[in-house]
Amino acid sequence: MIRTLIVIPTYNEVGNLPGILHRVHNATGETDVLIVDDSSPDGTGALADQLASVDPRIHVLHRAQKDGLGGAYRAGFAWGLARDYDRLVEMDADGSHDPAHLPALLEALDDADVAVGSRWIDGGRAEGWPLHRRLLSRGGSAYARLMLGITQRDVTGGFRAYRADALREIDPTHLVSQGYSFQIEMLWRAANAGHRIIEVPITFVERLHGTSKMSSTIVTEALARVTRWGLARPLIRQILTFIGVGAIGLAVDVITFNLLRATILSPEAVPGGALAAKVISVTLAIVANWLGNRYWTFAEQRRSDVGREAVDFLLASALGGLASLVTLGVSHYALGLHTAIADNISANVIGLALGSAVRFITYREWVFAG
Ligand code: GDD
């Protein structure tokens, strides 16, 4: 028989606990539940003990003080793995995770190691959530996906099921997150370990009683951790450094041009000096860009043949410039958009972005592929 444990962390959930346990057992029958309570001042722990004393399916783990969602799950999973459960589930106590989704989540484990209850795939949604929570959740998922390369849509949700062997391999005891970033860290680890992850659509509803424990500290922790983890990934670090080097190159170009025009190549001293000033400033900017990318962005993959690398760098940079020109040509001539704003958007916004993408890819895959 497959043994399942549902881990429910609680902090001040006295109004929600009896209802959620009743609904969990209605949905799953004999499934065991572990309540991990952090000495809730409202008496949730005592109520949990009382419910456990009359129902052998209910277990309680008391922790001395409030120590975050991540800490509660780490303790709960360790408790379940030590008792050889086959499948472990995480879910909120407040009714926002509908126990009616439990059978689908558990069934998904027939074909996967991790089943993620997802609000942001077809068929899933969040009901009654204020706009700021919706934006925070979607924005957080998008940022984590971008920084960490996670492919799932709902990265922050806390309604998931794990096969015990996968959970053992992920080894939550080594996770560092205290708050909600625990969810992101778990998913990232599972994906990195090559576990099969399936998203199952869920409807998330606003909690029935009490208040959310979401705080600015929790958001800051998640943001800081995802940024730190992301920056440790070579691709993200390279993209950010490439942008930094590009900005320095632009500054060199603008500052040099204006300095020359104000001094030795002023309009009074040299009537046709603007062109010469631009040639010098652009040349210096290209050299700054090359050195910055050679010794900083792509330092670990720079070539030993410096001359060849410099020539290829010039060619790749010209290709990037060409992308901007082609964008301008398409909008100005093919689409007939002749206003100054349209020219500026196509050349300096879309063209610049496209040109930068072309340059980044060609630098990474060809110029500095030493
Ligand atoms: N033991 C313990 N200790 N439990 C906690 C703690 C803690 O420090 N902090 C929160 N909990 C419990 C709550 O009592 C609840 O059962 C569950 O964890 C979720 O906390 P809420 O405060 O209700 O979370 P939420 O509704 O704002 O956030 C939901 O969305 C987040 C982002 O999408 C949750 O589903 C989170 O898991 C999710 O990351």
Side-chain angles (χ1 to χ4, degrees):
M1 193 186 94
I2 296 175
R3 291 173 68 233
T4 300
L5 178 71
I6 299 179
V7 180
I8 304 183
T10 55
Y11 193 75
N12 288 345
E13 302 291 358
V14 79
N16 290 310
L17 194 60
I20 198 69
L21 291 174
H22 181 71
R23 289 169 62 202
V24 163
H25 284 134
N26 269 353
T28 59
E30 290 310 305
T31 305
D32 280 4
V33 174
L34 174 70
I35 297 154
V36 185
D37 186 68
D38 283 5
S39 302
S40 300
D42 74 349
T44 305
L47 175 65
D49 283 339
Q50 201 182 317
L51 296 167
S53 70
V54 292
D55 188 336
R57 297 169 299 183
I58 300 174
H59 308 270
V60 189
L61 188 61
H62 293 281
R63 301 200 311 157
Q65 59 187 39
K66 181 166 172 18
D67 188 30
L69 188 77
Y73 275 126
R74 267 196 295 278
F77 287 151
W79 189 97
L81 290 176
R83 283 158 185 81
D84 284 330
Y85 284 93
D86 303 295
R87 296 175 171 192
L88 292 96
V89 176
E90 54 168 301
M91 71 180 283
D92 293 353
D94 58 8
S96 50
H97 294 155
D98 187 345
H101 294 303
L102 282 168
L105 274 175
L106 291 168
E107 227 175 86
L109 291 186
D110 291 343
D111 301 309
D113 301 306
V114 183
V116 174
S118 180
R119 295 158 290 189
W120 311 130
I121 57 168
D122 277 351
R125 60 183 186 278
E127 277 177 0
W129 243 15
L131 185 66
H132 76 275
R133 277 305 303 262
R134 200 176 280 273
L135 289 178
L136 202 63
S137 175
R138 294 213 81 147
S141 281
Y143 185 59
R145 279 159 47 85
L146 178 79
M147 292 296 281
L148 306 178
I150 297 174
T151 55
Q152 285 68 38
R153 312 253 9 137
D154 194 337
V155 176
T156 58
F159 196 12
R160 299 179 184 166
Y162 301 86
R163 292 167 74 110
D165 43 3
L167 196 56
R168 229 174 238 113
E169 226 178 288
I170 297 168
D171 191 3
T173 53
H174 283 97
L175 267 56
V176 291
S177 297
Q178 282 306 110
Y180 297 2
S181 61
F182 175 79
Q183 314 295 6
I184 303 172
E185 195 179 4
M186 283 291 284
L187 197 59
W188 187 43
R189 279 223 178 191
N192 281 349
H195 292 301
R196 295 165 303 160
I197 302 168
I198 286 186
E199 283 189 276
V200 176
I202 59 156
T203 300
F204 182 99
V205 292
E206 188 47 315
R207 59 168 43 245
L208 298 174
H209 304 281
T211 51
S212 164
K213 279 86 205 171
M214 170 70 89
S215 66
S216 57
T217 317
I218 284 172
V219 177
T220 312
E221 185 204 2
L223 197 66
R225 288 204 190 281
V226 170
T227 305
R228 200 170 323 132
W229 294 330
L231 288 180
R233 293 178 67 220
L235 179 62
I236 297 293
R237 194 193 53 72
Q238 279 182 344
I239 290 173
L240 295 180
T241 324
F242 170 78
I243 292 170
V245 168
I248 292 172
L250 185 67
V252 167
D253 184 1
V254 172
I255 292 170
T256 311
F257 180 76
N258 282 295
L259 267 180
L260 290 172
R261 289 301 277 158
T263 55
I264 51 169
L265 290 178
S266 70
E268 300 80 39
V270 188
L275 195 64
K278 197 65 195 164
V279 168
I280 295 172
S281 69
V282 166
T283 308
L284 281 183
I286 291 174
V287 171
N289 257 311
W290 174 53
L291 291 176
N293 282 307
R294 175 173 168 81
Y295 290 106
W296 194 15
T297 317
F298 301 104
E300 61 282 358
Q301 58 184 76
R302 62 174 178 249
R303 286 204 231 159
S304 48
D305 186 345
V306 181
R308 189 62 211 268
E309 184 189 276
V311 172
D312 287 351
F313 181 82
L314 274 178
L315 289 174
S317 302
L319 213 61
L322 197 65
S324 300
L325 278 181
V326 168
T327 317
L328 178 63
V330 167
S331 95
H332 196 87
Y333 297 105
L335 301 177
L337 303 171
H338 292 148
T339 63
I341 292 183
D343 284 350
N344 254 299
I345 290 178
S346 59
N348 297 331
V349 180
I350 303 173
L352 188 69
L354 211 69
S356 299
V358 166
R359 288 197 298 120
F360 181 79
I361 294 168
T362 49
Y363 289 175
R364 185 179 145 93
E365 302 301 328
W366 165 42
V367 178
F368 298 102

